[in-house]
PDB file of all heavy atoms in Angstrom:
ATOM      1  N   ASP Q 114     143.419  23.591   3.288  1.00 97.00           N
ATOM      2  CA  ASP Q 114     144.490  22.703   3.830  1.00 97.00           C
ATOM      3  C   ASP Q 114     145.835  23.097   3.420  1.00 97.00           C
ATOM      4  O   ASP Q 114     146.823  23.099   4.238  1.00 97.00           O
ATOM      5  CB  ASP Q 114     144.156  21.269   3.406  1.00 97.00           C
ATOM      6  CG  ASP Q 114     145.024  20.170   4.113  1.00 97.00           C
ATOM      7  OD1 ASP Q 114     145.354  20.443   5.340  1.00 97.00           O
ATOM      8  OD2 ASP Q 114     145.317  19.216   3.548  1.00 97.00           O
ATOM      9  N   ALA Q 115     146.021  23.436   2.150  1.00 97.00           N
ATOM     10  CA  ALA Q 115     147.343  23.890   1.639  1.00 97.00           C
ATOM     11  C   ALA Q 115     147.855  25.201   2.367  1.00 97.00           C
ATOM     12  O   ALA Q 115     148.976  25.311   2.691  1.00 97.00           O
ATOM     13  CB  ALA Q 115     147.278  24.141   0.153  1.00 97.00           C
ATOM     14  N   PHE Q 116     146.849  26.085   2.608  1.00 97.00           N
ATOM     15  CA  PHE Q 116     147.236  27.364   3.291  1.00 97.00           C
ATOM     16  C   PHE Q 116     147.682  27.000   4.694  1.00 97.00           C
ATOM     17  O   PHE Q 116     148.671  27.564   5.201  1.00 97.00           O
ATOM     18  CB  PHE Q 116     146.022  28.313   3.275  1.00 97.00           C
ATOM     19  CG  PHE Q 116     146.341  29.563   3.959  1.00 97.00           C
ATOM     20  CD1 PHE Q 116     147.000  30.577   3.279  1.00 97.00           C
ATOM     21  CD2 PHE Q 116     145.908  29.845   5.275  1.00 97.00           C
ATOM     22  CE1 PHE Q 116     147.307  31.755   3.850  1.00 97.00           C
ATOM     23  CE2 PHE Q 116     146.203  31.063   5.895  1.00 97.00           C
ATOM     24  CZ  PHE Q 116     146.924  32.046   5.141  1.00 97.00           C
ATOM     25  N   ARG Q 117     146.964  26.159   5.407  1.00 97.00           N
ATOM     26  CA  ARG Q 117     147.341  25.784   6.772  1.00 97.00           C
ATOM     27  C   ARG Q 117     148.729  25.033   6.838  1.00 97.00           C
ATOM     28  O   ARG Q 117     149.385  25.197   7.811  1.00 97.00           O
ATOM     29  CB  ARG Q 117     146.213  24.840   7.338  1.00 97.00           C
ATOM     30  CG  ARG Q 117     144.986  25.593   7.724  1.00 97.00           C
ATOM     31  CD  ARG Q 117     143.991  24.729   8.234  1.00 97.00           C
ATOM     32  NE  ARG Q 117     142.752  25.440   8.527  1.00 97.00           N
ATOM     33  CZ  ARG Q 117     141.525  24.874   8.600  1.00 97.00           C
ATOM     34  NH1 ARG Q 117     141.365  23.546   8.316  1.00 97.00           N
ATOM     35  NH2 ARG Q 117     140.474  25.571   8.888  1.00 97.00           N
ATOM     36  N   ARG Q 118     149.001  24.283   5.748  1.00 96.00           N
ATOM     37  CA  ARG Q 118     150.281  23.471   5.798  1.00 96.00           C
ATOM     38  C   ARG Q 118     151.341  24.118   4.908  1.00 96.00           C
ATOM     39  O   ARG Q 118     152.380  23.488   4.584  1.00 96.00           O
ATOM     40  CB  ARG Q 118     149.999  22.089   5.237  1.00 96.00           C
ATOM     41  CG  ARG Q 118     149.064  21.345   6.169  1.00 96.00           C
ATOM     42  CD  ARG Q 118     148.812  19.950   5.745  1.00 96.00           C
ATOM     43  NE  ARG Q 118     149.142  19.667   4.331  1.00 96.00           N
ATOM     44  CZ  ARG Q 118     148.968  18.460   3.757  1.00 96.00           C
ATOM     45  NH1 ARG Q 118     148.569  17.430   4.505  1.00 96.00           N
ATOM     46  NH2 ARG Q 118     149.257  18.307   2.515  1.00 96.00           N
ATOM     47  N   ARG Q 119     151.196  25.360   4.502  1.00 97.00           N
ATOM     48  CA  ARG Q 119     152.166  26.035   3.596  1.00 97.00           C
ATOM     49  C   ARG Q 119     153.533  26.084   4.224  1.00 97.00           C
ATOM     50  O   ARG Q 119     154.593  26.143   3.501  1.00 97.00           O
ATOM     51  CB  ARG Q 119     151.652  27.347   3.132  1.00 97.00           C
ATOM     52  CG  ARG Q 119     151.605  28.477   4.163  1.00 97.00           C
ATOM     53  CD  ARG Q 119     150.822  29.653   3.716  1.00 97.00           C
ATOM     54  NE  ARG Q 119     150.970  30.819   4.535  1.00 97.00           N
ATOM     55  CZ  ARG Q 119     150.224  30.992   5.635  1.00 97.00           C
ATOM     56  NH1 ARG Q 119     149.455  30.032   6.052  1.00 97.00           N
ATOM     57  NH2 ARG Q 119     150.411  32.078   6.360  1.00 97.00           N
ATOM     58  N   HIS Q 120     153.619  26.089   5.494  1.00 96.00           N
ATOM     59  CA  HIS Q 120     154.923  26.129   6.257  1.00 96.00           C
ATOM     60  C   HIS Q 120     155.766  24.867   5.997  1.00 96.00           C
ATOM     61  O   HIS Q 120     156.970  24.917   6.242  1.00 96.00           O
ATOM     62  CB  HIS Q 120     154.760  26.512   7.741  1.00 96.00           C
ATOM     63  CG  HIS Q 120     154.112  25.386   8.469  1.00 96.00           C
ATOM     64  ND1 HIS Q 120     152.752  25.189   8.417  1.00 96.00           N
ATOM     65  CD2 HIS Q 120     154.567  24.444   9.233  1.00 96.00           C
ATOM     66  CE1 HIS Q 120     152.410  24.146   9.137  1.00 96.00           C
ATOM     67  NE2 HIS Q 120     153.522  23.644   9.654  1.00 96.00           N
ATOM     68  N   VAL Q 121     155.168  23.788   5.550  1.00 95.00           N
ATOM     69  CA  VAL Q 121     155.899  22.598   5.369  1.00 95.00           C
ATOM     70  C   VAL Q 121     156.090  22.256   3.839  1.00 95.00           C
ATOM     71  O   VAL Q 121     156.657  21.232   3.499  1.00 95.00           O
ATOM     72  CB  VAL Q 121     155.205  21.277   6.027  1.00 95.00           C
ATOM     73  CG1 VAL Q 121     155.176  21.521   7.536  1.00 95.00           C
ATOM     74  CG2 VAL Q 121     153.859  21.063   5.412  1.00 95.00           C
ATOM     75  N   TYR Q 122     155.712  23.154   3.013  1.00 96.00           N
ATOM     76  CA  TYR Q 122     155.922  22.983   1.549  1.00 96.00           C
ATOM     77  C   TYR Q 122     157.368  22.963   1.215  1.00 96.00           C
ATOM     78  O   TYR Q 122     158.234  23.730   1.748  1.00 96.00           O
ATOM     79  CB  TYR Q 122     155.219  24.237   0.828  1.00 96.00           C
ATOM     80  CG  TYR Q 122     155.404  24.091  -0.704  1.00 96.00           C
ATOM     81  CD1 TYR Q 122     154.545  23.234  -1.388  1.00 96.00           C
ATOM     82  CD2 TYR Q 122     156.356  24.795  -1.444  1.00 96.00           C
ATOM     83  CE1 TYR Q 122     154.619  23.066  -2.751  1.00 96.00           C
ATOM     84  CE2 TYR Q 122     156.382  24.643  -2.808  1.00 96.00           C
ATOM     85  CZ  TYR Q 122     155.610  23.767  -3.484  1.00 96.00           C
ATOM     86  OH  TYR Q 122     155.679  23.625  -4.794  1.00 96.00           O
ATOM     87  N   ASP Q 123     157.721  21.992   0.424  1.00 95.00           N
ATOM     88  CA  ASP Q 123     159.111  21.817  -0.065  1.00 95.00           C
ATOM     89  C   ASP Q 123     159.446  22.771  -1.171  1.00 95.00           C
ATOM     90  O   ASP Q 123     159.008  22.606  -2.324  1.00 95.00           O
ATOM     91  CB  ASP Q 123     159.276  20.380  -0.579  1.00 95.00           C
ATOM     92  CG  ASP Q 123     160.715  20.054  -0.977  1.00 95.00           C
ATOM     93  OD1 ASP Q 123     161.626  20.990  -0.994  1.00 95.00           O
ATOM     94  OD2 ASP Q 123     161.020  18.883  -1.310  1.00 95.00           O
ATOM     95  N   ALA Q 124     160.143  23.815  -0.875  1.00 94.00           N
ATOM     96  CA  ALA Q 124     160.503  24.951  -1.690  1.00 94.00           C
ATOM     97  C   ALA Q 124     161.323  24.521  -2.903  1.00 94.00           C
ATOM     98  O   ALA Q 124     161.460  25.271  -3.903  1.00 94.00           O
ATOM     99  CB  ALA Q 124     161.098  26.126  -0.958  1.00 94.00           C
ATOM    100  N   ALA Q 125     161.899  23.319  -2.850  1.00 95.00           N
ATOM    101  CA  ALA Q 125     162.620  22.806  -4.012  1.00 95.00           C
ATOM    102  C   ALA Q 125     161.786  22.559  -5.241  1.00 95.00           C
ATOM    103  O   ALA Q 125     162.232  22.555  -6.368  1.00 95.00           O
ATOM    104  CB  ALA Q 125     163.376  21.505  -3.620  1.00 95.00           C
ATOM    105  N   HIS Q 126     160.453  22.449  -4.989  1.00 95.00           N
ATOM    106  CA  HIS Q 126     159.494  22.229  -6.038  1.00 95.00           C
ATOM    107  C   HIS Q 126     158.895  23.518  -6.445  1.00 95.00           C
ATOM    108  O   HIS Q 126     158.065  24.186  -5.697  1.00 95.00           O
ATOM    109  CB  HIS Q 126     158.430  21.272  -5.628  1.00 95.00           C
ATOM    110  CG  HIS Q 126     158.945  19.946  -5.203  1.00 95.00           C
ATOM    111  ND1 HIS Q 126     159.509  19.029  -6.081  1.00 95.00           N
ATOM    112  CD2 HIS Q 126     159.087  19.388  -3.937  1.00 95.00           C
ATOM    113  CE1 HIS Q 126     159.886  17.974  -5.402  1.00 95.00           C
ATOM    114  NE2 HIS Q 126     159.652  18.129  -4.128  1.00 95.00           N
ATOM    115  N   THR Q 127     159.227  24.028  -7.707  1.00 96.00           N
ATOM    116  CA  THR Q 127     158.814  25.320  -8.168  1.00 96.00           C
ATOM    117  C   THR Q 127     157.276  25.347  -8.469  1.00 96.00           C
ATOM    118  O   THR Q 127     156.698  26.346  -8.478  1.00 96.00           O
ATOM    119  CB  THR Q 127     159.637  25.862  -9.359  1.00 96.00           C
ATOM    120  OG1 THR Q 127     159.442  24.915 -10.417  1.00 96.00           O
ATOM    121  CG2 THR Q 127     161.045  26.050  -8.938  1.00 96.00           C
ATOM    122  N   ASP Q 128     156.774  24.173  -8.880  1.00 96.00           N
ATOM    123  CA  ASP Q 128     155.411  24.029  -9.298  1.00 96.00           C
ATOM    124  C   ASP Q 128     154.577  23.440  -8.134  1.00 96.00           C
ATOM    125  O   ASP Q 128     154.864  22.326  -7.744  1.00 96.00           O
ATOM    126  CB  ASP Q 128     155.256  23.204 -10.575  1.00 96.00           C
ATOM    127  CG  ASP Q 128     153.929  23.058 -11.083  1.00 96.00           C
ATOM    128  OD1 ASP Q 128     152.979  23.715 -10.561  1.00 96.00           O
ATOM    129  OD2 ASP Q 128     153.738  22.333 -12.169  1.00 96.00           O
ATOM    130  N   ALA Q 129     153.562  24.145  -7.696  1.00 97.00           N
ATOM    131  CA  ALA Q 129     152.699  23.593  -6.542  1.00 97.00           C
ATOM    132  C   ALA Q 129     151.622  22.725  -6.980  1.00 97.00           C
ATOM    133  O   ALA Q 129     150.904  22.036  -6.192  1.00 97.00           O
ATOM    134  CB  ALA Q 129     152.128  24.796  -5.799  1.00 97.00           C
ATOM    135  N   ARG Q 130     151.500  22.478  -8.311  1.00 97.00           N
ATOM    136  CA  ARG Q 130     150.400  21.583  -8.736  1.00 97.00           C
ATOM    137  C   ARG Q 130     150.358  20.324  -8.211  1.00 97.00           C
ATOM    138  O   ARG Q 130     149.416  19.763  -7.716  1.00 97.00           O
ATOM    139  CB  ARG Q 130     150.383  21.539 -10.327  1.00 97.00           C
ATOM    140  CG  ARG Q 130     149.827  22.755 -11.033  1.00 97.00           C
ATOM    141  CD  ARG Q 130     149.873  22.686 -12.505  1.00 97.00           C
ATOM    142  NE  ARG Q 130     150.915  21.829 -13.079  1.00 97.00           N
ATOM    143  CZ  ARG Q 130     150.766  20.780 -13.854  1.00 97.00           C
ATOM    144  NH1 ARG Q 130     149.526  20.459 -14.301  1.00 97.00           N
ATOM    145  NH2 ARG Q 130     151.758  20.013 -14.265  1.00 97.00           N
ATOM    146  N   PRO Q 131     151.526  19.546  -8.189  1.00 97.00           N
ATOM    147  CA  PRO Q 131     151.499  18.169  -7.635  1.00 97.00           C
ATOM    148  C   PRO Q 131     151.077  18.245  -6.162  1.00 97.00           C
ATOM    149  O   PRO Q 131     150.369  17.338  -5.709  1.00 97.00           O
ATOM    150  CB  PRO Q 131     152.919  17.691  -7.805  1.00 97.00           C
ATOM    151  CG  PRO Q 131     153.419  18.464  -8.982  1.00 97.00           C
ATOM    152  CD  PRO Q 131     152.817  19.707  -8.866  1.00 97.00           C
ATOM    153  N   TRP Q 132     151.533  19.229  -5.398  1.00 97.00           N
ATOM    154  CA  TRP Q 132     151.098  19.352  -3.983  1.00 97.00           C
ATOM    155  C   TRP Q 132     149.694  19.539  -3.838  1.00 97.00           C
ATOM    156  O   TRP Q 132     148.984  18.900  -3.028  1.00 97.00           O
ATOM    157  CB  TRP Q 132     151.995  20.483  -3.358  1.00 97.00           C
ATOM    158  CG  TRP Q 132     151.711  20.817  -1.975  1.00 97.00           C
ATOM    159  CD1 TRP Q 132     151.908  19.962  -0.909  1.00 97.00           C
ATOM    160  CD2 TRP Q 132     151.406  22.092  -1.374  1.00 97.00           C
ATOM    161  NE1 TRP Q 132     151.598  20.598   0.274  1.00 97.00           N
ATOM    162  CE2 TRP Q 132     151.302  21.904  -0.049  1.00 97.00           C
ATOM    163  CE3 TRP Q 132     151.081  23.344  -1.944  1.00 97.00           C
ATOM    164  CZ2 TRP Q 132     150.989  23.013   0.843  1.00 97.00           C
ATOM    165  CZ3 TRP Q 132     150.839  24.407  -1.148  1.00 97.00           C
ATOM    166  CH2 TRP Q 132     150.742  24.225   0.196  1.00 97.00           C
ATOM    167  N   LEU Q 133     149.133  20.491  -4.662  1.00 97.00           N
ATOM    168  CA  LEU Q 133     147.697  20.752  -4.562  1.00 97.00           C
ATOM    169  C   LEU Q 133     146.862  19.602  -5.025  1.00 97.00           C
ATOM    170  O   LEU Q 133     145.914  19.253  -4.368  1.00 97.00           O
ATOM    171  CB  LEU Q 133     147.371  21.998  -5.344  1.00 97.00           C
ATOM    172  CG  LEU Q 133     148.033  23.338  -4.865  1.00 97.00           C
ATOM    173  CD1 LEU Q 133     147.853  24.380  -5.879  1.00 97.00           C
ATOM    174  CD2 LEU Q 133     147.384  23.669  -3.508  1.00 97.00           C
ATOM    175  N   TYR Q 134     147.254  18.944  -6.112  1.00 97.00           N
ATOM    176  CA  TYR Q 134     146.496  17.843  -6.614  1.00 97.00           C
ATOM    177  C   TYR Q 134     146.593  16.663  -5.638  1.00 97.00           C
ATOM    178  O   TYR Q 134     145.638  15.827  -5.504  1.00 97.00           O
ATOM    179  CB  TYR Q 134     146.930  17.424  -8.016  1.00 97.00           C
ATOM    180  CG  TYR Q 134     146.319  18.250  -9.142  1.00 97.00           C
ATOM    181  CD1 TYR Q 134     146.655  19.566  -9.321  1.00 97.00           C
ATOM    182  CD2 TYR Q 134     145.318  17.682  -9.955  1.00 97.00           C
ATOM    183  CE1 TYR Q 134     146.101  20.324 -10.321  1.00 97.00           C
ATOM    184  CE2 TYR Q 134     144.760  18.399 -10.960  1.00 97.00           C
ATOM    185  CZ  TYR Q 134     145.173  19.751 -11.148  1.00 97.00           C
ATOM    186  OH  TYR Q 134     144.583  20.501 -12.054  1.00 97.00           O
ATOM    187  N   GLY Q 135     147.689  16.519  -4.970  1.00 96.00           N
ATOM    188  CA  GLY Q 135     147.896  15.470  -3.934  1.00 96.00           C
ATOM    189  C   GLY Q 135     146.898  15.694  -2.818  1.00 96.00           C
ATOM    190  O   GLY Q 135     146.235  14.744  -2.369  1.00 96.00           O
ATOM    191  N   ILE Q 136     146.802  16.906  -2.380  1.00 96.00           N
ATOM    192  CA  ILE Q 136     145.755  17.214  -1.273  1.00 96.00           C
ATOM    193  C   ILE Q 136     144.361  16.951  -1.821  1.00 96.00           C
ATOM    194  O   ILE Q 136     143.565  16.283  -1.114  1.00 96.00           O
ATOM    195  CB  ILE Q 136     145.887  18.669  -0.863  1.00 96.00           C
ATOM    196  CG1 ILE Q 136     147.312  18.909  -0.185  1.00 96.00           C
ATOM    197  CG2 ILE Q 136     144.748  19.105   0.117  1.00 96.00           C
ATOM    198  CD1 ILE Q 136     147.587  20.368   0.070  1.00 96.00           C
ATOM    199  N   ALA Q 137     144.106  17.343  -3.009  1.00 96.00           N
ATOM    200  CA  ALA Q 137     142.779  17.120  -3.616  1.00 96.00           C
ATOM    201  C   ALA Q 137     142.465  15.591  -3.739  1.00 96.00           C
ATOM    202  O   ALA Q 137     141.393  15.170  -3.504  1.00 96.00           O
ATOM    203  CB  ALA Q 137     142.628  17.840  -4.951  1.00 96.00           C
ATOM    204  N   SER Q 138     143.492  14.855  -4.163  1.00 93.00           N
ATOM    205  CA  SER Q 138     143.303  13.457  -4.311  1.00 93.00           C
ATOM    206  C   SER Q 138     142.971  12.777  -2.970  1.00 93.00           C
ATOM    207  O   SER Q 138     142.156  11.845  -2.915  1.00 93.00           O
ATOM    208  CB  SER Q 138     144.597  12.751  -4.911  1.00 93.00           C
ATOM    209  OG  SER Q 138     144.723  13.207  -6.276  1.00 93.00           O
ATOM    210  N   ASN Q 139     143.596  13.204  -1.973  1.00 91.00           N
ATOM    211  CA  ASN Q 139     143.238  12.734  -0.599  1.00 91.00           C
ATOM    212  C   ASN Q 139     141.825  13.071  -0.240  1.00 91.00           C
ATOM    213  O   ASN Q 139     141.161  12.208   0.293  1.00 91.00           O
ATOM    214  CB  ASN Q 139     144.199  13.263   0.469  1.00 91.00           C
ATOM    215  CG  ASN Q 139     145.576  12.604   0.322  1.00 91.00           C
ATOM    216  OD1 ASN Q 139     145.770  11.570  -0.135  1.00 91.00           O
ATOM    217  ND2 ASN Q 139     146.585  13.421   0.838  1.00 91.00           N
ATOM    218  N   LEU Q 140     141.379  14.236  -0.575  1.00 93.00           N
ATOM    219  CA  LEU Q 140     139.993  14.588  -0.298  1.00 93.00           C
ATOM    220  C   LEU Q 140     139.061  13.832  -1.196  1.00 93.00           C
ATOM    221  O   LEU Q 140     137.946  13.529  -0.783  1.00 93.00           O
ATOM    222  CB  LEU Q 140     139.783  16.112  -0.534  1.00 93.00           C
ATOM    223  CG  LEU Q 140     140.579  16.957   0.536  1.00 93.00           C
ATOM    224  CD1 LEU Q 140     140.556  18.457   0.137  1.00 93.00           C
ATOM    225  CD2 LEU Q 140     140.048  16.783   1.897  1.00 93.00           C
ATOM    226  N   VAL Q 141     139.422  13.621  -2.443  1.00 89.00           N
ATOM    227  CA  VAL Q 141     138.588  12.785  -3.323  1.00 89.00           C
ATOM    228  C   VAL Q 141     138.479  11.438  -2.738  1.00 89.00           C
ATOM    229  O   VAL Q 141     137.428  10.837  -2.867  1.00 89.00           O
ATOM    230  CB  VAL Q 141     139.191  12.755  -4.788  1.00 89.00           C
ATOM    231  CG1 VAL Q 141     138.491  11.644  -5.580  1.00 89.00           C
ATOM    232  CG2 VAL Q 141     139.004  14.073  -5.502  1.00 89.00           C
ATOM    233  N   GLY Q 142     139.538  10.962  -2.122  1.00 85.00           N
ATOM    234  CA  GLY Q 142     139.492   9.615  -1.452  1.00 85.00           C
ATOM    235  C   GLY Q 142     138.441   9.481  -0.406  1.00 85.00           C
ATOM    236  O   GLY Q 142     137.866   8.426  -0.247  1.00 85.00           O
ATOM    237  N   LYS Q 143     137.981  10.570   0.146  1.00 82.00           N
ATOM    238  CA  LYS Q 143     136.880  10.570   1.117  1.00 82.00           C
ATOM    239  C   LYS Q 143     135.605  10.386   0.421  1.00 82.00           C
ATOM    240  O   LYS Q 143     134.594  10.166   1.091  1.00 82.00           O
ATOM    241  CB  LYS Q 143     136.957  11.834   1.947  1.00 82.00           C
ATOM    242  CG  LYS Q 143     138.149  11.883   2.877  1.00 82.00           C
ATOM    243  CD  LYS Q 143     138.156  13.194   3.625  1.00 82.00           C
ATOM    244  CE  LYS Q 143     139.485  13.273   4.493  1.00 82.00           C
ATOM    245  NZ  LYS Q 143     139.547  14.470   5.297  1.00 82.00           N
ATOM    246  N   HIS Q 144     135.566  10.577  -0.866  1.00 79.00           N
ATOM    247  CA  HIS Q 144     134.306  10.503  -1.711  1.00 79.00           C
ATOM    248  C   HIS Q 144     134.379   9.336  -2.619  1.00 79.00           C
ATOM    249  O   HIS Q 144     133.659   9.283  -3.628  1.00 79.00           O
ATOM    250  CB  HIS Q 144     134.142  11.809  -2.472  1.00 79.00           C
ATOM    251  CG  HIS Q 144     133.962  13.038  -1.670  1.00 79.00           C
ATOM    252  ND1 HIS Q 144     132.724  13.373  -1.151  1.00 79.00           N
ATOM    253  CD2 HIS Q 144     134.886  13.957  -1.200  1.00 79.00           C
ATOM    254  CE1 HIS Q 144     132.881  14.527  -0.472  1.00 79.00           C
ATOM    255  NE2 HIS Q 144     134.177  14.874  -0.473  1.00 79.00           N
ATOM    256  N   ARG Q 145     135.317   8.325  -2.356  1.00 72.00           N
ATOM    257  CA  ARG Q 145     135.424   7.239  -3.289  1.00 72.00           C
ATOM    258  C   ARG Q 145     134.147   6.524  -3.692  1.00 72.00           C
ATOM    259  O   ARG Q 145     133.927   6.232  -4.857  1.00 72.00           O
ATOM    260  CB  ARG Q 145     136.394   6.174  -2.725  1.00 72.00           C
ATOM    261  CG  ARG Q 145     137.781   6.636  -2.685  1.00 72.00           C
ATOM    262  CD  ARG Q 145     138.700   6.122  -3.710  1.00 72.00           C
ATOM    263  NE  ARG Q 145     140.023   6.382  -3.391  1.00 72.00           N
ATOM    264  CZ  ARG Q 145     140.798   7.228  -4.057  1.00 72.00           C
ATOM    265  NH1 ARG Q 145     140.364   7.719  -5.196  1.00 72.00           N
ATOM    266  NH2 ARG Q 145     141.995   7.480  -3.708  1.00 72.00           N
ATOM    267  N   ARG Q 146     133.351   6.234  -2.722  1.00 72.00           N
ATOM    268  CA  ARG Q 146     132.090   5.591  -3.020  1.00 72.00           C
ATOM    269  C   ARG Q 146     131.240   6.373  -3.990  1.00 72.00           C
ATOM    270  O   ARG Q 146     130.614   5.904  -4.915  1.00 72.00           O
ATOM    271  CB  ARG Q 146     131.275   5.243  -1.769  1.00 72.00           C
ATOM    272  CG  ARG Q 146     131.897   4.169  -0.973  1.00 72.00           C
ATOM    273  CD  ARG Q 146     131.015   3.804   0.210  1.00 72.00           C
ATOM    274  NE  ARG Q 146     131.796   3.102   1.162  1.00 72.00           N
ATOM    275  CZ  ARG Q 146     131.657   3.156   2.447  1.00 72.00           C
ATOM    276  NH1 ARG Q 146     130.697   3.940   2.914  1.00 72.00           N
ATOM    277  NH2 ARG Q 146     132.450   2.478   3.227  1.00 72.00           N
ATOM    278  N   ARG Q 147     131.199   7.713  -3.750  1.00 71.00           N
ATOM    279  CA  ARG Q 147     130.493   8.620  -4.592  1.00 71.00           C
ATOM    280  C   ARG Q 147     131.001   8.548  -6.062  1.00 71.00           C
ATOM    281  O   ARG Q 147     130.250   8.560  -7.050  1.00 71.00           O
ATOM    282  CB  ARG Q 147     130.530  10.030  -4.063  1.00 71.00           C
ATOM    283  CG  ARG Q 147     129.734  10.993  -4.897  1.00 71.00           C
ATOM    284  CD  ARG Q 147     129.894  12.418  -4.382  1.00 71.00           C
ATOM    285  NE  ARG Q 147     129.153  13.340  -5.079  1.00 71.00           N
ATOM    286  CZ  ARG Q 147     128.010  13.846  -4.686  1.00 71.00           C
ATOM    287  NH1 ARG Q 147     127.516  13.614  -3.503  1.00 71.00           N
ATOM    288  NH2 ARG Q 147     127.347  14.730  -5.482  1.00 71.00           N
ATOM    289  N   GLU Q 148     132.342   8.649  -6.173  1.00 71.00           N
ATOM    290  CA  GLU Q 148     132.980   8.605  -7.475  1.00 71.00           C
ATOM    291  C   GLU Q 148     132.690   7.294  -8.253  1.00 71.00           C
ATOM    292  O   GLU Q 148     132.253   7.355  -9.325  1.00 71.00           O
ATOM    293  CB  GLU Q 148     134.542   8.775  -7.321  1.00 71.00           C
ATOM    294  CG  GLU Q 148     135.234   8.724  -8.691  1.00 71.00           C
ATOM    295  CD  GLU Q 148     136.729   8.733  -8.507  1.00 71.00           C
ATOM    296  OE1 GLU Q 148     137.285   8.175  -7.538  1.00 71.00           O
ATOM    297  OE2 GLU Q 148     137.378   9.307  -9.409  1.00 71.00           O
ATOM    298  N   THR Q 149     132.797   6.175  -7.570  1.00 74.00           N
ATOM    299  CA  THR Q 149     132.523   4.926  -8.196  1.00 74.00           C
ATOM    300  C   THR Q 149     131.005   4.806  -8.578  1.00 74.00           C
ATOM    301  O   THR Q 149     130.698   4.418  -9.676  1.00 74.00           O
ATOM    302  CB  THR Q 149     132.877   3.731  -7.250  1.00 74.00           C
ATOM    303  OG1 THR Q 149     134.300   3.912  -6.975  1.00 74.00           O
ATOM    304  CG2 THR Q 149     132.650   2.446  -7.952  1.00 74.00           C
ATOM    305  N   ALA Q 150     130.149   5.243  -7.709  1.00 74.00           N
ATOM    306  CA  ALA Q 150     128.751   5.241  -7.989  1.00 74.00           C
ATOM    307  C   ALA Q 150     128.351   6.084  -9.143  1.00 74.00           C
ATOM    308  O   ALA Q 150     127.615   5.812  -9.990  1.00 74.00           O
ATOM    309  CB  ALA Q 150     127.932   5.672  -6.771  1.00 74.00           C
ATOM    310  N   ARG Q 151     129.066   7.215  -9.227  1.00 71.00           N
ATOM    311  CA  ARG Q 151     128.808   8.200 -10.337  1.00 71.00           C
ATOM    312  C   ARG Q 151     129.204   7.501 -11.715  1.00 71.00           C
ATOM    313  O   ARG Q 151     128.412   7.570 -12.653  1.00 71.00           O
ATOM    314  CB  ARG Q 151     129.721   9.421 -10.156  1.00 71.00           C
ATOM    315  CG  ARG Q 151     129.652  10.490 -11.223  1.00 71.00           C
ATOM    316  CD  ARG Q 151     130.556  11.626 -10.775  1.00 71.00           C
ATOM    317  NE  ARG Q 151     130.768  12.570 -11.807  1.00 71.00           N
ATOM    318  CZ  ARG Q 151     130.024  13.582 -12.064  1.00 71.00           C
ATOM    319  NH1 ARG Q 151     128.965  13.827 -11.359  1.00 71.00           N
ATOM    320  NH2 ARG Q 151     130.294  14.401 -13.064  1.00 71.00           N
ATOM    321  N   TYR Q 152     130.360   6.847 -11.775  1.00 71.00           N
ATOM    322  CA  TYR Q 152     130.746   6.155 -13.012  1.00 71.00           C
ATOM    323  C   TYR Q 152     129.823   5.070 -13.368  1.00 71.00           C
ATOM    324  O   TYR Q 152     129.410   4.924 -14.502  1.00 71.00           O
ATOM    325  CB  TYR Q 152     132.188   5.592 -12.893  1.00 71.00           C
ATOM    326  CG  TYR Q 152     133.279   6.619 -12.739  1.00 71.00           C
ATOM    327  CD1 TYR Q 152     134.387   6.352 -12.031  1.00 71.00           C
ATOM    328  CD2 TYR Q 152     133.185   7.906 -13.373  1.00 71.00           C
ATOM    329  CE1 TYR Q 152     135.437   7.316 -11.908  1.00 71.00           C
ATOM    330  CE2 TYR Q 152     134.135   8.775 -13.231  1.00 71.00           C
ATOM    331  CZ  TYR Q 152     135.330   8.522 -12.495  1.00 71.00           C
ATOM    332  OH  TYR Q 152     136.312   9.439 -12.407  1.00 71.00           O
TER     333      TYR Q 152
END
Side-chain angles (χ1 to χ4, degrees):
D114 191 32
F116 183 79
R117 289 179 179 153
R118 296 185 338 181
R119 70 193 190 282
H120 65 281
V121 298
Y122 181 77
D123 183 354
H126 303 290
T127 58
D128 184 1
R130 285 179 330 124
W132 180 55
L133 295 168
Y134 278 72
I136 294 169
S138 291
N139 288 334
L140 294 170
V141 166
K143 294 178 181 179
H144 298 275
R145 291 257 189 246
R146 287 188 199 143
R147 180 187 182 103
E148 178 184 34
T149 302
R151 178 179 168 87
Y152 293 148

